[in-house]
Amino acid sequence: MRVHAKRAGALLGASLVSSQAMADWTLNMAPGVTGTSNEIYGLHMTILWICVAIGIVVFGVMFWSIFAHRKSKGSKPAHFHENTVVEILWTIIPFVILVLMCIPATATLMDMYDSEESDIDIKVTGYQWKWKYDYINEEFGYFSNTTTPQDEIYNRVEKNEHYLREVDNPMVVPVDKKIRFLVTANDVIHSWWVPAFGVKKDAIPGFINETWTRIDEPGIYRGQCTELCGRLHGFMPVVVKAVPQDEYDAWVAEQVASAERERELTSKDWTLAELMERGEGVYNTNCAACHQANGEGMPPTFPALKGSRIAIEDMNAHLDVVVNGVSGSPMQAFGEQLSEADLAAVITYERNAWGNDTGEMVTPKEVFDYKNKE
Amino acid sequence: MSAVIDTHAQDHHHGPAKGFTRWLYTTNHKDIGSMYLIFSFAMFLLGGTMAMVIRAELFQPGLQIVEPEFFNQMTTMHGLIMVFGAVMPAFVGLANWMIPMMIGAPDMALPRMNNWSFWLLPAAFLILISTLFMPGGAPNFGWTFYAPLSTTYGPPSTTFFIFAVHIMGVSSIMGAINVIATILNLRAPGMTLMKMPLFVWTWLITAFLLIAVMPVLAGVVTMMLMDINFGTSFFNAAGGGDPVLFQHVFWFFGHPEVYIMILPAFGAVSEIIPAFSRKPLFGYASMVYAVGAIALLSFVVWAHHMFTVGIPLAGELFFMYATMLIAVPTGVKVFNWVATMFRGALSFEAPMLFAVAFVILFTIGGFSGLMLAVAPADFQYHDTYFVVAHFHYVLVPGAIFGIFASAYYWLPKWTGHMYDETLAQTHFWLSFVGMNLAFFPMHFLGLAGMPRRIPDYALQFADFNMVSSIGAFMFGATQLLFLFIVVKCVRGGEKAAAKPWEGAEGLEWTLPSPAPYHTFATPPEIK
Ligand SMILES: [Cu+2]
């Protein structure tokens, strides 16, 4: 199998019902940009052709019978109903074909399982409904959220080219390096899949699964969660940006520096206006999916924050809900997921947006103290 | 056993009771068979309606008709209703009607239990369907109900779902016990095991599979029940439990379950193809051994549903080899059917059309199954539409075409009338085209990277989804035609001869059409 073979007969009689600019009639798996994905593509094509060959023989005999041995054409039925030689043959031959098929499949599988001696380790954690990427050796990490606007999902505006396959912070990795992924989950089972890498691994709470990749070409590769994980399972994209090594190094340096700045934000003195500005962004990425951008929620499932007692009265209760979540409800504990600055900003935002004009603010330091007091 | 036979011999001269109590109290295998078939068809329409909702939402990218939470309830309920409400009861219905008539028995061996196992089903499905109206909605975690999505994160109705599954399980086990007791004890003198019709053989083996795995299903849902309501942590990692354990237990049930849904269809098709080829079945003995081999192997392949969960390399290899091995006996069956047709005198009435389509399309489903068995490739196929295409190919033109073929084949015997052949052929062709239009493009979608169980998709998947939806609507609407054909046939039509099919073999065709309320009160002689 030629591994870089182009997509087989990708285009069928052009725009039969198509109106979508991006839509296409792809028929086959694409080879991908890693050794593993190319090997898988080779196996896929081999087994596909084996099936086609067997199909031609079996269906050939069958259609011959259907056309030639019709009663309406005066066919007289034969009476044979056994033939030991034939029966043994058609047991042995498929068996041998399958054994032959198992040999390359076993080799590929052993290769896929060999995640030793990696250059870079990234922990991938599935959350409902976003991914977190922790660069273990460089000690920074971040969430990767979908950025597809609700307006596109609900057909109020034209959908963009990367509809449902776009994120705020993609995973960034260098090309030609062995990257090991340590895959786990925080709540339910998810599955992290990038088709172009031939990498799919279930993210299971309480387990750390290993897998790896080595990317041949720089580019942006897209996939999504493939294990049903609740309401927004379909809205949990994976985007990986593969860049040359020097670009990667520069990116890492910047991430490390910004992680440091992030930590400094906790001790900085904040004004209400600054917190509000930051809070709006945090709210829209993390909270609006349930509580809605206008703060009105979707009662009864997702309460309104606009005018909510918790959001305009007791500050401690507000901190508690956001930091610790409400167990047994979809309201997660954001204390682990957001920085102190973001927590302070989003809480301050909720207390002052949409007419909740309490004028109150909470500083990142107060959030830090609250978290450590517990 | 003999006590039961005697009682029935005595009320031989009675016809059926009148009114509703006839159906409520009946212990007659034909009545119970009809009730199973009617029930399963009702469930088929209900589960099909849910499929229509799914396909309507997927007609175009974006969310148009339903919200994601309801979409998830639809995929879950569609799967559960089709598997447990439509396919399995339909085969039990066929077993009830046909097994006693095929082996020369007066009725099922345990008639009262037969009544009980049927009436449990409407109760179970009433509970299951009522969850749609409960706060938080119906189960929304897929028909495979993986923990912890179905336990810690499940809707409140999950407990009712568990109760419903328990009742279905009890019903299936009782049905299976009855089939085994009937086949092993009530065969007419002279009917040795290796003279039994293949439909009887496949059902005997299916019944053993049922008894082996339904308790496992009951076990896994009971563990869920404990996790949800009694504070255990079987599947909760935070409490020291193991979410992967759920999948092992579930698929230990789930894999034999897929054979439970296909083996009786194998049997029926093995009756129908020889009848319309006017030639004996090729390789009877090898057919029996192949079914036995498939059933045994089905216990050691469950983790091929779990290639991406991170089982150790040795485990992956074992399950890959074992799964590939299943292709051998399955292939033997297909070769035998083709060899039966070869040099026969074929005619293509509706049962034969469905049976031939069964062989072709089931084989296509088998091919994609073989592809999925190649573990490294499965990392790309797993949980995509390729899998959806695969199992719909083995279940729709597999199990369901098998049921349609059986229905048309035996309708003259059941009703005493011939069905309308033109309408039946229309039903076939519309189903055939609709079904392929609906499910074939799903292969392409999966290979292009579309995951299953999503209410909305990226733009590159738009075209084939639209085609698939059109095919699904066509297939769905066509099934109303089947309802019409059956009702028409029950109410009248050309009188059916005792043996309306020239090439048909078997004891059921020695009885008059329609088969009298009580048959074989005195067992027939088998040479
Ligand atoms: Cu997910």
Side-chain angles (χ1 to χ4, degrees):
Chain A
M1 293 303 133
R2 208 40 213 116
V3 284
H4 283 294
K6 287 288 161 250
R7 296 173 173 189
L11 294 169
L12 252 184
S15 52
L16 200 64
V17 275
S18 160
S19 55
Q20 298 292 343
M22 264 302 291
D24 61 15
W25 297 92
T26 309
L27 296 178
N28 198 4
M29 186 188 280
V33 293
T34 63
T36 308
S37 64
N38 285 317
E39 279 176 41
I40 291 177
Y41 178 77
L43 288 172
H44 162 73
M45 291 312 289
T46 312
I47 188 81
L48 179 62
W49 284 119
I50 290 177
C51 291
V52 169
I54 299 175
I56 289 175
V57 174
V58 175
F59 298 147
V61 175
M62 185 176 197
F63 282 112
W64 171 252
S65 314
I66 289 177
F67 290 115
H69 305 149
R70 278 170 182 264
K71 180 168 188 255
S72 56
K73 289 192 177 169
S75 173
K76 290 272 166 295
H79 291 283
F80 64 86
H81 57 89
E82 244 164 15
N83 186 325
T84 315
V85 178
V86 175
E87 288 176 58
I88 289 177
L89 274 183
W90 69 37
T91 311
I92 304 273
I93 295 174
F95 182 78
V96 172
I97 295 175
L98 293 178
V99 171
L100 292 178
M101 188 64 221
C102 281
I103 295 170
T106 303
T108 303
L109 201 59
M110 290 172 73
D111 190 37
M112 288 167 75
Y113 261 68
D114 177 17
S115 52
E116 300 287 296
E117 291 172 21
S118 58
D119 300 308
I120 295 170
D121 296 334
I122 302 176
K123 184 172 156 219
V124 173
T125 312
Y127 287 77
Q128 278 180 326
W129 291 276
K130 59 196 166 207
W131 296 99
K132 184 167 192 227
Y133 303 132
D134 285 295
Y135 289 68
I136 297 175
N137 310 328
E138 288 82 11
E139 297 190 347
F140 68 86
Y142 55 88
F143 281 93
S144 183
N145 297 287
T146 173
T147 51
T148 300
Q150 295 286 308
D151 280 344
E152 289 189 18
I153 295 174
Y154 286 97
N155 313 301
R156 292 187 284 257
V157 299
E158 183 88 359
K159 299 179 181 9
N160 81 81
E161 187 187 358
H162 298 302
Y163 178 68
L164 297 187
R165 296 226 160 165
E166 45 188 347
V167 296
D168 50 1
N169 306 304
M171 173 188 279
V172 179
V173 290
V175 292
D176 295 325
K177 282 282 155 67
K178 183 162 185 176
I179 305 152
R180 176 166 55 172
F181 302 111
L182 303 162
V183 187
T184 184
N186 181 56
D187 33 49
V188 300
I189 303 178
H190 303 265
S191 189
W192 194 77
W193 185 31
V194 183
F197 301 167
V199 169
K200 179 184 288 153
K201 206 76 177 180
D202 289 0
I204 305 172
F207 282 73
I208 296 185
N209 273 329
E210 284 188 24
T211 183
W212 66 275
T213 195
R214 184 193 296 273
I215 304 161
D216 296 336
E217 291 163 34
I220 294 180
Y221 302 106
R222 297 170 199 273
Q224 63 189 96
C225 178
T226 50
E227 179 67 60
L228 177 61
C229 57
R231 191 165 65 92
L232 298 184
H233 162 57
F235 305 87
M236 205 176 146
V238 174
V239 180
V240 179
K241 194 171 157 195
V243 297
Q245 183 69 40
D246 46 349
E247 213 176 298
Y248 174 73
D249 292 337
W251 178 81
V252 168
E254 194 198 310
Q255 294 301 308
V256 172
S258 93
E260 182 54 35
R261 277 200 302 280
E262 192 79 9
R263 275 188 282 276
E264 280 168 11
L265 286 179
T266 306
S267 47
K268 172 179 168 328
D269 286 327
W270 289 81
T271 66
L272 180 63
E274 284 171 334
L275 284 172
M276 283 294 286
E277 191 192 334
R278 190 182 181 88
E280 180 167 10
V282 177
Y283 181 85
N284 285 333
T285 30
N286 293 290
C287 324
C290 300
H291 295 292
Q292 304 300 309
N294 58 12
E296 286 170 9
M298 291 157 68
T301 329
F302 304 119
L305 299 178
K306 180 176 174 179
S308 131
R309 298 264 303 276
I310 294 187
I312 52 183
E313 288 173 18
D314 186 1
M315 172 70 88
N316 262 331
H318 197 169
L319 274 163
D320 179 50
V321 172
V322 179
V323 171
N324 302 318
V326 180
S327 76
S329 98
M331 181 63 202
Q332 312 161 27
F334 284 95
E336 297 289 300
Q337 300 182 26
L338 298 177
S339 70
E340 279 87 33
D342 284 345
L343 287 167
V346 78
I347 292 171
T348 304
Y349 178 74
E350 285 176 357
R351 299 185 83 76
N352 295 284
W354 327 295
N356 282 0
D357 303 314
T358 59
E360 293 171 358
M361 62 180 262
V362 56
T363 65
K365 257 176 69 191
E366 285 164 344
V367 173
F368 181 82
D369 292 342
Y370 178 84
K371 274 165 88 175
N372 288 13
K373 189 176 73 205
E374 292 190 325
Chain B
M1 288 311 121
S2 62
V4 173
I5 297 169
D6 288 349
T7 340
H8 272 252
Q10 277 156 22
D11 42 52
H12 184 201
H13 37 91
H14 302 169
K18 294 274 176 281
F20 180 66
T21 48
R22 161 176 179 187
W23 303 102
L24 195 59
Y25 298 148
T26 182
T27 52
N28 180 288
H29 73 104
K30 300 185 183 79
D31 281 354
I32 295 176
S34 303
M35 291 199 294
Y36 265 111
L37 290 170
I38 293 165
F39 174 80
S40 77
F41 190 69
M43 289 297 119
F44 179 60
L45 291 185
L46 181 63
T49 309
M50 293 174 176
M52 297 299 105
V53 174
I54 294 169
R55 284 317 319 174
E57 179 53 58
L58 292 174
F59 189 70
Q60 281 186 327
L63 295 179
Q64 289 89 12
I65 297 176
V66 294
E67 287 296 310
E69 39 288 60
F70 190 68
F71 183 89
N72 288 346
Q73 295 172 31
M74 287 293 103
T75 54
T76 306
M77 296 291 275
H78 163 71
L80 291 169
I81 288 177
M82 287 304 199
V83 168
F84 294 103
V87 174
M88 291 171 67
F91 282 125
V92 183
L94 291 174
N96 257 294
W97 254 105
M98 300 318 301
I99 288 177
M101 300 207 297
M102 289 173 123
I103 62 174
D107 203 306
M108 297 294 278
L110 308 163
R112 277 183 215 290
M113 192 164 91
N114 205 9
N115 170 294
W116 177 224
S117 67
F118 170 76
W119 280 110
L120 281 176
L121 274 185
F125 278 86
L126 225 56
I127 294 174
L128 184 66
I129 293 162
S130 72
T131 59
L132 277 165
F133 307 100
M134 291 181 186
N140 54 13
F141 28 66
W143 86 274
T144 51
F145 50 98
Y146 279 11
L149 186 63
S150 61
T151 51
T152 322
Y153 294 79
S157 62
T158 309
T159 303
F160 289 88
F161 153 79
I162 292 171
F163 188 42
V165 170
H166 270 304
I167 303 178
M168 291 170 208
V170 171
S171 161
S172 293
I173 291 173
M174 296 201 307
I177 291 174
N178 213 344
V179 166
I180 294 174
T182 307
I183 297 175
L184 294 186
N185 295 301
L186 299 190
R187 295 194 312 280
M191 178 164 290
T192 59
L193 286 178
M194 289 309 272
K195 278 191 190 159
M196 293 194 314
L198 259 169
F199 180 72
V200 179
W201 253 117
T202 53
W203 240 114
L204 180 63
I205 291 170
T206 303
F208 277 108
L209 286 181
L210 275 167
I211 291 183
V213 301
M214 291 314 280
V216 179
L217 176 67
V220 76
V221 294
T222 305
M223 288 154 97
M224 284 172 63
L225 184 75
M226 305 294 275
D227 273 12
I228 294 171
N229 296 303
F230 302 108
T232 57
S233 294
F234 288 110
F235 307 130
N236 178 3
D242 180 347
V244 177
L245 173 67
F246 174 91
Q247 298 183 26
H248 282 293
V249 184
F250 177 82
W251 285 113
F252 187 83
F253 146 79
H255 199 79
E257 168 68 21
V258 308
Y259 289 98
I260 288 168
M261 291 191 282
I262 199 68
L263 293 185
F266 283 0
V269 164
S270 304
E271 306 295 330
I272 294 165
I273 290 184
F276 294 90
S277 303
R278 294 166 181 79
K279 186 164 157 279
L281 181 69
F282 188 86
Y284 172 90
S286 74
M287 284 301 227
V288 172
Y289 299 139
V291 176
I294 291 171
L296 287 178
L297 284 171
S298 77
F299 285 105
V300 293
V301 296
W302 75 88
H304 68 211
H305 298 271
M306 304 165 54
F307 280 142
T308 63
V309 302
I311 45 179
L313 180 61
E316 299 262 324
L317 292 175
F318 171 81
F319 285 105
M320 169 165 78
Y321 300 154
T323 306
M324 292 221 171
L325 207 54
I326 273 202
V328 175
T330 313
V332 166
K333 299 199 69 80
V334 173
F335 301 144
N336 281 335
W337 288 320
V338 174
T340 306
M341 291 168 66
F342 186 66
R343 294 188 48 210
L346 280 59
S347 60
F348 295 92
E349 291 85 345
M352 183 63 164
L353 286 175
F354 276 106
V356 172
F358 168 95
V359 176
I360 299 173
L361 300 175
F362 174 81
T363 304
I364 292 177
F367 285 150
S368 55
L370 193 57
M371 297 173 74
L372 287 158
V374 180
D378 183 69
F379 279 80
Q380 294 285 48
Y381 309 138
H382 180 69
D383 265 346
T384 68
Y385 260 82
F386 192 78
V387 177
V388 179
H390 161 71
F391 67 74
H392 280 95
Y393 260 83
V394 291
L395 283 173
V396 179
I400 292 176
F401 276 21
I403 294 164
F404 285 147
S406 311
Y408 286 122
Y409 185 55
W410 284 308
L411 260 177
K413 182 57 55 190
W414 299 337
T415 64
H417 304 128
M418 296 308 285
Y419 58 82
D420 184 327
E421 186 65 43
T422 318
L423 285 182
Q425 304 230 353
T426 315
H427 173 224
F428 169 76
W429 285 109
L430 290 176
S431 296
F432 181 84
V433 173
M435 174 265 138
N436 280 295
L437 218 50
F439 300 118
F440 210 81
M442 290 184 182
H443 292 109
F444 307 142
L445 287 170
L447 294 176
M450 177 167 162
R452 64 193 285 204
R453 294 169 166 165
I454 55 176
D456 191 6
Y457 45 81
L459 300 182
Q460 67 265 35
F461 307 129
D463 293 341
F464 280 127
N465 268 298
M466 191 176 283
V467 175
S468 176
S469 290
I470 293 171
F473 299 147
M474 180 172 166
F475 182 81
T478 303
Q479 304 323 314
L480 298 174
L481 179 59
F482 178 68
L483 179 63
F484 177 77
I485 295 170
V486 173
V487 171
K488 187 168 172 222
C489 177
V490 171
R491 298 180 56 177
E494 187 194 329
K495 278 248 148 283
K499 192 174 109 165
W501 312 118
E502 184 191 352
E505 298 276 349
L507 289 177
E508 74 265 37
W509 307 112
T510 64
L511 296 166
S513 297
Y517 199 54
H518 294 288
T519 42
F520 293 129
T522 354
E525 271 306 323
I526 319 275
K527 292 141 283 186

